[in-house]
Each structure stands twice: as C-alpha cells, then as structure tokens.
Amino acid sequence: MTPQTLILESHGPVALIRLNRPEALNALNAQVLTELIAALAAFQTDEAVRAVVLTGSQKAFAAGADVKEMQALDFATIYKGDFLSGWAEVAGFRKPIIAAVAGFALGGGCELAMMCDMIFADTSAKFGQPEISLGIIPGMGGTQRLIRAVGKAKAMDLVLTGRMMDAEEAERAGLVARILPPESLIDEALKAAAKIASFSQPAVLMAKEAVASAAELSLNEGLHLERRLFQSLFATQDQKEGMAAFIEKRKATFTDR
C-alpha cells in the first residue's frame, strides 16, 4: 500500500524517506508512525537498500507530535496502550540512517532526528523540546538522548525553558554532525549515505552497533564489545579484500561476506 504521509524515493543503494504532512508541518501522528515503521521494515530486509536518509520539507523536518491527536487522551488510555512506545522500532533500525533537517525539528521531531545515526542540518534548522509549554515533558526519548548528545547543562536548558537552538548552536553542542546550505542538504546527505553504502555491510553494521552501544555500556564493557566485533570481522572475506586492496593501492570490491 502506498503511504499517505511519506514519500519514498530510491537513489541506488540509498532510500530517501520524506515526511509528507505539509498541512501540519509534518507533525508526527499514529499514521506517520505506522507508515514509517512499515517502510523501515521493508528497507531492513531489502538487500538493495544499504542506508537511509530521512527528511521533511524546507519548512519543517517535523514540528512535533500531533497535539490535536493527543489532546483528548487520558492517562489510563495511553498507559494501557503504552503510547509512543512504537517509536522504539525506528531507533532499532539496524542499517545506517541520516536525518537531513531543514526548518523546525521540535518536540517529537527533534526526538525522531536523534533516533537517527547522525543529523545533517541546513542553516534554517531549529531544534528544541518545547513540551514544557504544553504541560508535559518529552516522551519519545528527548530527556534521555538529548543529554547524551549535548550534556546535562544544555539538555536542562532546552527541556526546562522550551527554547529553540539554531543549527550553529546545535553543531557546537554536538547534536548536529554537519551544517550545509539549504540547496545542498539532501544531495550531501545522499552522498554521505552512498559512501557508507559502498563499504562492507558487516563492517558498517558492526561499527554502528559499537558506537550506539557506547552510551549504554561502561568503558571496559564498550572496549570489550569493540574488540570482539573488530576480531570477528577477520572472519570475513571483506577484511581480506579491503586490506589487500589497500596494500595493492586499488579500490576494494566488497561482497558483504
């Protein structure tokens, strides 16, 4: 079934997902979640897709969760249904995913961007967790992922005041990997994703796993995991090919084996 809130594009080994609710500045609702999870599940099993870029519009990556959908909900309903828990499936996507952010990435939009492996932002990007102004707090990981990205002081500032920070501040704070001109954002995100896609997929998946695990593990546990993953790649043909190509001064041809 063709999604109604997403536009899906194929760019060789890279899939591009555009959030598409322009009438609501790409506010995240249940339909967006359902369709995004379905798209990522399909890309996860599609061997032709090796990386994903997630973006919105020039005005908004996503301006937040859909307040109109949430306003009438009560505690018993959202507790029994474990409201918002489904977004964990997005964070659990195994292949590399780059968020390309223009305009507003607020509330759930900021949290969705942080679920991705890295954030590219254009100069118009605005990030924030303004839930406090609605009488609530972030519920899709904002209080947890933000502190890991920017530290306690900056996270407290954003969560407690509800203010926005621009792309330059977000890059200085460690939330954004690259700032790009608006006209170059998607092309540069696709180019970076294509470069990732050109490497050995076992190595890419293990590299993502190792880095993503660092926030959850002690230093010794993280070093142990890294070492074991490093060692395990010596059982692959791609390790032999990559090192042989380096020694022979040629481009490696990886087979994902």
Side-chain angles (χ1 to χ4, degrees):
M1 182 180 295
T2 302
Q4 302 301 304
T5 65
L6 307 176
I7 297 174
L8 306 180
E9 301 176 16
S10 176
H11 294 261
V14 179
L16 176 65
I17 304 175
R18 295 183 186 269
L19 301 175
N20 186 40
R21 293 191 71 209
E23 75 288 352
L25 291 178
N26 292 330
L28 306 174
N29 62 6
Q31 185 177 6
V32 173
L33 173 60
T34 298
E35 293 182 352
L36 184 56
I37 288 175
L40 291 176
F43 293 147
Q44 187 62 67
T45 58
D46 185 347
E47 293 188 3
V49 174
R50 301 170 66 88
V52 172
V53 172
L54 176 63
T55 193
S57 67
Q58 187 58 47
K59 288 185 177 180
F61 175 75
D66 194 323
V67 177
K68 292 181 179 179
E69 183 180 72
M70 294 189 294
Q71 192 272 332
L73 298 175
D74 59 74
F75 169 71
T77 299
I78 63 174
Y79 182 73
K80 287 189 294 184
D82 204 9
F83 185 59
L84 299 183
S85 63
W87 289 99
E89 294 193 38
V90 178
F93 184 64
R94 291 188 67 210
K95 294 179 181 179
I97 180 167
I98 298 174
V101 176
F104 297 113
L106 304 177
C110 185
E111 291 168 307
L112 177 58
M114 290 191 291
M115 292 177 196
C116 299
D117 298 309
M118 64 189 88
I119 299 174
F120 287 8
D122 80 11
T123 52
S124 71
K126 303 285 187 183
F127 299 88
Q129 299 290 163
E131 289 88 347
I132 198 76
S133 66
L134 301 176
I136 57 174
I137 68 171
M140 288 166 50
T143 65
Q144 303 302 301
R145 291 192 175 93
L146 191 59
I147 193 171
R148 287 166 167 79
V150 304
K152 177 186 173 183
K154 187 73 73 175
M156 283 290 190
D157 181 10
L158 293 169
V159 171
L160 293 181
T161 70
R163 75 173 181 89
M164 294 184 289
M165 62 178 175
D166 62 20
E168 289 188 4
E169 182 181 358
E171 184 187 38
R172 289 197 305 269
L175 181 64
V176 165
R178 303 185 196 178
I179 300 177
L180 300 158
E183 64 274 15
S184 303
L185 175 65
I186 301 303
D187 286 345
E188 289 300 316
L190 289 171
K191 187 185 299 184
K195 183 172 184 179
I196 294 168
S198 72
F199 298 129
S200 168
Q201 191 174 50
V204 167
L205 294 178
M206 288 188 194
K208 172 173 174 170
E209 179 183 352
V211 175
S213 297
E216 311 296 330
L217 302 175
S218 69
L219 177 59
N220 282 338
E221 290 170 330
L223 291 171
H224 179 77
L225 173 63
E226 177 190 79
R227 190 163 58 250
R228 289 292 179 260
L229 292 173
F230 170 83
Q231 292 165 350
S232 70
L233 286 167
F234 280 71
T236 67
Q237 296 174 16
D238 284 347
Q239 173 266 327
K240 304 295 185 292
E241 166 62 13
M243 292 190 176
F246 177 82
I247 293 169
E248 296 164 14
K249 295 181 172 55
R250 59 175 175 82
K251 184 177 180 179
T253 301
F254 295 118
T255 59
D256 300 333
R257 299 186 179 279

